[in-house]
PDB file of all heavy atoms in Angstrom:
ATOM      1  N   LEU A 312       9.202  -1.644   4.357  1.00  0.00           N
ATOM      2  CA  LEU A 312      10.578  -2.091   4.229  1.00  0.00           C
ATOM      3  C   LEU A 312      11.277  -2.170   5.586  1.00  0.00           C
ATOM      4  O   LEU A 312      12.187  -2.978   5.825  1.00  0.00           O
ATOM      5  CB  LEU A 312      11.332  -1.079   3.399  1.00  0.00           C
ATOM      6  CG  LEU A 312      10.770  -0.974   1.906  1.00  0.00           C
ATOM      7  CD1 LEU A 312      11.622   0.038   1.158  1.00  0.00           C
ATOM      8  CD2 LEU A 312      10.894  -2.326   1.229  1.00  0.00           C
ATOM      9  N   ALA A 313      10.790  -1.373   6.574  1.00  0.00           N
ATOM     10  CA  ALA A 313      11.432  -1.356   7.895  1.00  0.00           C
ATOM     11  C   ALA A 313      10.432  -0.849   8.867  1.00  0.00           C
ATOM     12  O   ALA A 313       9.535   0.003   8.597  1.00  0.00           O
ATOM     13  CB  ALA A 313      12.724  -0.562   7.914  1.00  0.00           C
ATOM     14  N   SER A 314      10.590  -1.231  10.125  1.00  0.00           N
ATOM     15  CA  SER A 314       9.754  -0.662  11.260  1.00  0.00           C
ATOM     16  C   SER A 314      10.513  -0.788  12.589  1.00  0.00           C
ATOM     17  O   SER A 314      11.493  -1.562  12.634  1.00  0.00           O
ATOM     18  CB  SER A 314       8.396  -1.409  11.321  1.00  0.00           C
ATOM     19  OG  SER A 314       8.590  -2.786  11.654  1.00  0.00           O
ATOM     20  N   GLY A 315      10.149  -0.065  13.500  1.00  0.00           N
ATOM     21  CA  GLY A 315      10.754  -0.152  14.746  1.00  0.00           C
ATOM     22  C   GLY A 315      10.058   0.769  15.811  1.00  0.00           C
ATOM     23  O   GLY A 315       9.188   1.487  15.496  1.00  0.00           O
ATOM     24  N   ILE A 316      10.577   0.728  17.018  1.00  0.00           N
ATOM     25  CA  ILE A 316      10.008   1.447  18.146  1.00  0.00           C
ATOM     26  C   ILE A 316      10.963   2.451  18.557  1.00  0.00           C
ATOM     27  O   ILE A 316      12.178   2.241  18.755  1.00  0.00           O
ATOM     28  CB  ILE A 316       9.670   0.587  19.325  1.00  0.00           C
ATOM     29  CG1 ILE A 316       8.649  -0.460  18.923  1.00  0.00           C
ATOM     30  CG2 ILE A 316       9.216   1.386  20.521  1.00  0.00           C
ATOM     31  CD1 ILE A 316       8.410  -1.501  20.032  1.00  0.00           C
ATOM     32  N   VAL A 317      10.586   3.779  18.633  1.00  0.00           N
ATOM     33  CA  VAL A 317      11.467   4.901  19.001  1.00  0.00           C
ATOM     34  C   VAL A 317      10.798   5.684  20.118  1.00  0.00           C
ATOM     35  O   VAL A 317       9.705   5.481  20.547  1.00  0.00           O
ATOM     36  CB  VAL A 317      11.656   5.812  17.713  1.00  0.00           C
ATOM     37  CG1 VAL A 317      12.363   5.112  16.653  1.00  0.00           C
ATOM     38  CG2 VAL A 317      10.275   6.404  17.278  1.00  0.00           C
ATOM     39  N   GLU A 318      11.591   6.590  20.720  1.00  0.00           N
ATOM     40  CA  GLU A 318      11.150   7.339  21.884  1.00  0.00           C
ATOM     41  C   GLU A 318      10.207   8.465  21.534  1.00  0.00           C
ATOM     42  O   GLU A 318       9.271   8.815  22.241  1.00  0.00           O
ATOM     43  CB  GLU A 318      12.382   7.917  22.634  1.00  0.00           C
ATOM     44  CG  GLU A 318      13.262   6.869  23.196  1.00  0.00           C
ATOM     45  CD  GLU A 318      12.644   6.120  24.347  1.00  0.00           C
ATOM     46  OE1 GLU A 318      11.879   6.713  25.133  1.00  0.00           O
ATOM     47  OE2 GLU A 318      12.923   4.906  24.464  1.00  0.00           O
ATOM     48  N   LYS A 319      10.489   9.149  20.350  1.00  0.00           N
ATOM     49  CA  LYS A 319       9.655  10.288  19.966  1.00  0.00           C
ATOM     50  C   LYS A 319       9.201  10.223  18.518  1.00  0.00           C
ATOM     51  O   LYS A 319       9.875   9.596  17.670  1.00  0.00           O
ATOM     52  CB  LYS A 319      10.487  11.556  20.072  1.00  0.00           C
ATOM     53  CG  LYS A 319      10.941  11.865  21.466  1.00  0.00           C
ATOM     54  CD  LYS A 319      11.826  13.158  21.453  1.00  0.00           C
ATOM     55  CE  LYS A 319      12.489  13.391  22.752  1.00  0.00           C
ATOM     56  NZ  LYS A 319      13.414  14.503  22.725  1.00  0.00           N
ATOM     57  N   ALA A 320       8.069  10.873  18.203  1.00  0.00           N
ATOM     58  CA  ALA A 320       7.605  10.883  16.828  1.00  0.00           C
ATOM     59  C   ALA A 320       8.623  11.557  15.866  1.00  0.00           C
ATOM     60  O   ALA A 320       9.286  12.516  16.282  1.00  0.00           O
ATOM     61  CB  ALA A 320       6.262  11.697  16.759  1.00  0.00           C
ATOM     62  N   GLY A 321       8.847  10.986  14.762  1.00  0.00           N
ATOM     63  CA  GLY A 321       9.865  11.465  13.801  1.00  0.00           C
ATOM     64  C   GLY A 321      11.283  11.019  14.028  1.00  0.00           C
ATOM     65  O   GLY A 321      12.139  11.242  13.147  1.00  0.00           O
ATOM     66  N   GLN A 322      11.524  10.394  15.128  1.00  0.00           N
ATOM     67  CA  GLN A 322      12.897   9.894  15.420  1.00  0.00           C
ATOM     68  C   GLN A 322      13.173   8.676  14.604  1.00  0.00           C
ATOM     69  O   GLN A 322      12.268   7.821  14.377  1.00  0.00           O
ATOM     70  CB  GLN A 322      13.019   9.576  16.957  1.00  0.00           C
ATOM     71  CG  GLN A 322      14.360   9.092  17.316  1.00  0.00           C
ATOM     72  CD  GLN A 322      14.354   8.793  18.837  1.00  0.00           C
ATOM     73  OE1 GLN A 322      13.321   8.871  19.551  1.00  0.00           O
ATOM     74  NE2 GLN A 322      15.499   8.381  19.388  1.00  0.00           N
ATOM     75  N   ARG A 323      14.431   8.506  14.087  1.00  0.00           N
ATOM     76  CA  ARG A 323      14.818   7.298  13.365  1.00  0.00           C
ATOM     77  C   ARG A 323      15.629   6.402  14.252  1.00  0.00           C
ATOM     78  O   ARG A 323      16.302   6.866  15.184  1.00  0.00           O
ATOM     79  CB  ARG A 323      15.550   7.657  12.185  1.00  0.00           C
ATOM     80  CG  ARG A 323      14.718   8.455  11.155  1.00  0.00           C
ATOM     81  CD  ARG A 323      15.515   8.856   9.884  1.00  0.00           C
ATOM     82  NE  ARG A 323      14.696   9.470   8.973  1.00  0.00           N
ATOM     83  CZ  ARG A 323      14.141   8.966   7.932  1.00  0.00           C
ATOM     84  NH1 ARG A 323      14.330   7.591   7.725  1.00  0.00           N
ATOM     85  NH2 ARG A 323      13.386   9.630   7.112  1.00  0.00           N
ATOM     86  N   ARG A 324      15.623   5.081  13.955  1.00  0.00           N
ATOM     87  CA  ARG A 324      16.374   4.147  14.756  1.00  0.00           C
ATOM     88  C   ARG A 324      17.869   4.277  14.417  1.00  0.00           C
ATOM     89  O   ARG A 324      18.353   4.702  13.498  1.00  0.00           O
ATOM     90  CB  ARG A 324      15.995   2.677  14.386  1.00  0.00           C
ATOM     91  CG  ARG A 324      14.590   2.426  14.730  1.00  0.00           C
ATOM     92  CD  ARG A 324      14.216   0.990  14.743  1.00  0.00           C
ATOM     93  NE  ARG A 324      14.521   0.324  13.492  1.00  0.00           N
ATOM     94  CZ  ARG A 324      14.570  -0.985  13.384  1.00  0.00           C
ATOM     95  NH1 ARG A 324      14.353  -1.779  14.398  1.00  0.00           N
ATOM     96  NH2 ARG A 324      14.793  -1.604  12.248  1.00  0.00           N
TER      97      ARG A 324
END
Side-chain angles (χ1 to χ4, degrees):
L312 301 178
S314 65
I316 299 172
V317 296
E318 297 292 324
K319 297 178 188 176
Q322 183 180 3
R323 295 183 178 261
R324 297 195 302 166

